[in-house]
Amino acid sequence: MKPVAQGETPVLQKKTAQKIPAIREEADLYRALDLDYIPPELRENCGEFEAAANGKLPRLIEAENLRGTFHCHTTASDGRNSLEEMAGAAQELGLQYLGIADHSRSSIQARGLDEARLRVQLAMIRKLNETFENFRLFAGIECDILRDGSLDFPDAVLGELDYVIASVHSAFTLSEADMTRRIIRAMQNPHVTMLAHPTGRLLLRRDPYAVDIPAIIDAAAETGTWIEINAAPKRLDLDWRWWPLAKEKGVKCVINPDAHGIERLQELWFGVGVARKGWLTKADVMNCLPLGKLKQRWRRSGV
């Protein structure tokens, strides 16, 4: 309305009446604004409105897309259930495969496996696999990354396994440069399949160690290493804020529960929530692959 001079009678401007759309659910509101529906996980003002306006929102991963998982422990180290019990629980959840990755020998507090005990477990897994139909156990190890970036087992031992998870469990106070070099050196080992809980954080208990995550993501893109979303509620690591960058670089995700008991397998769904918040689709998450296709995508041959 223009300013009214002294002595003039104000003239109200006529407004065009607009029909108020019927809104019965959230999706109706977005349609009324010419936007695609934005899932709640993406509502962080991180580009989702622009993507919704241009029809470029991703179809986010769903819990039912998961076909298996890899970071699980048994009574061989610090888990609470046997191989058979973990396999049974995974099948009850409808999973097609389960990876067993008990701790390696340097994790003394977790009763980590030495070479002899690891080979015993490998033989047990192979024998159990003979009894399954439409399900498979994979034999792995959560292998400690030592202070200098070398791994807790020699390549000859790692080469006997289906996959290797590399992780940091010690020397958390290294400088950012030293920690970054340490982790990247481990990722460059051709036997390493995935990197677990990349920042080492324990929510409300321990801050993440100093590490250059963009450099870790670049190294994962170069080496083909999968990066874990550790679905344990105390970790949720790698944090959702880093996944758009990782996705842009072509880095693949793997959602693992870090399960130390059969009940913890259900925490996979927390990892799905982190993945959704990070804009990930089932194509970005390697354990959405069915068993047959997964075996074609292992970082090394012979599985």
Side-chain angles (χ1 to χ4, degrees), residues 12-278:
L12 298 177
Q13 295 176 347
K14 186 177 181 181
K15 293 184 178 180
T16 303
Q18 293 184 351
K19 183 179 179 181
I20 299 175
I23 304 295
R24 295 183 177 85
E25 57 186 16
E26 279 191 319
D28 295 332
L29 178 59
Y30 283 91
R31 279 191 290 269
L33 297 172
D34 292 325
L35 296 172
D36 288 342
Y37 174 73
I38 300 175
E41 297 92 336
L42 298 187
R43 299 173 193 172
E44 293 284 349
N45 195 23
C46 291
E48 68 273 16
F49 291 106
E50 294 82 357
N54 294 300
K56 293 185 178 180
L57 284 173
R59 183 173 181 177
L60 300 177
I61 182 175
E62 303 281 355
E64 55 266 28
N65 297 145
L66 292 182
R67 296 290 178 264
T69 194
F70 302 100
H71 188 169
C72 298
H73 300 270
T74 72
T75 51
S77 63
D78 62 345
R80 295 182 296 279
N81 292 97
S82 66
L83 277 172
E84 294 86 350
E85 290 168 336
M86 293 296 286
Q91 291 175 84
E92 287 180 8
L93 288 177
L95 300 180
Q96 296 178 1
Y97 51 87
L98 183 74
I100 300 300
D102 276 306
H103 288 282
S104 63
R105 57 190 177 184
S106 287
S107 289
I108 298 172
Q109 73 285 357
R111 297 188 297 114
L113 278 63
D114 58 19
E115 293 181 22
R117 292 170 61 214
L118 179 59
R119 289 193 173 100
V120 169
Q121 186 182 73
L122 177 58
M124 292 173 64
I125 288 173
R126 287 174 174 163
K127 186 174 182 179
L128 271 175
N129 277 331
E130 295 175 0
T131 69
F132 297 134
E133 292 185 12
N134 303 316
F135 180 79
R136 178 165 176 177
L137 281 175
F138 287 111
I141 191 74
E142 184 180 10
C143 191
D144 273 26
I145 302 173
L146 305 182
R147 189 184 186 98
D148 65 354
S150 61
L151 296 174
D152 205 14
F153 284 124
D155 286 354
V157 174
L158 298 179
E160 298 178 32
L161 302 171
D162 294 328
Y163 67 99
V164 174
I165 302 175
S167 58
V168 170
H169 288 110
S170 62
F172 295 141
T173 59
L174 292 179
S175 70
E176 179 179 299
D178 287 342
M179 183 65 81
T180 303
R181 280 193 293 269
R182 172 190 188 181
I183 294 174
I184 290 176
R185 180 185 175 192
M187 294 165 68
Q188 290 170 339
N189 184 298
H191 295 291
V192 170
T193 314
M194 59 195 85
L195 175 67
H197 42 73
T199 74
R201 73 180 187 183
L202 293 177
L203 295 171
L204 304 179
R205 288 175 51 194
R206 184 175 73 206
D207 290 337
Y209 42 68
V211 62
D212 184 345
I213 293 298
I216 296 298
I217 289 172
D218 285 341
E222 181 180 347
T223 61
T225 306
W226 307 345
I227 294 182
E228 177 183 81
I229 291 178
N230 189 297
K234 66 182 180 180
R235 290 191 184 273
L236 303 180
D237 185 15
L238 185 61
D239 189 89
W240 67 268
R241 295 167 182 84
W242 289 112
W243 282 105
L245 174 63
K247 179 173 180 172
E248 177 186 328
K249 299 281 187 174
V251 174
K252 294 300 184 181
C253 169
V254 57
I255 299 174
N256 287 322
D258 199 350
H260 288 69
I262 56 175
E263 74 283 358
R264 297 295 185 182
L265 287 172
Q266 309 235 16
E267 292 176 357
L268 276 168
W269 320 136
F270 294 129
V272 172
V274 174
R276 287 174 62 85
K277 202 163 182 63

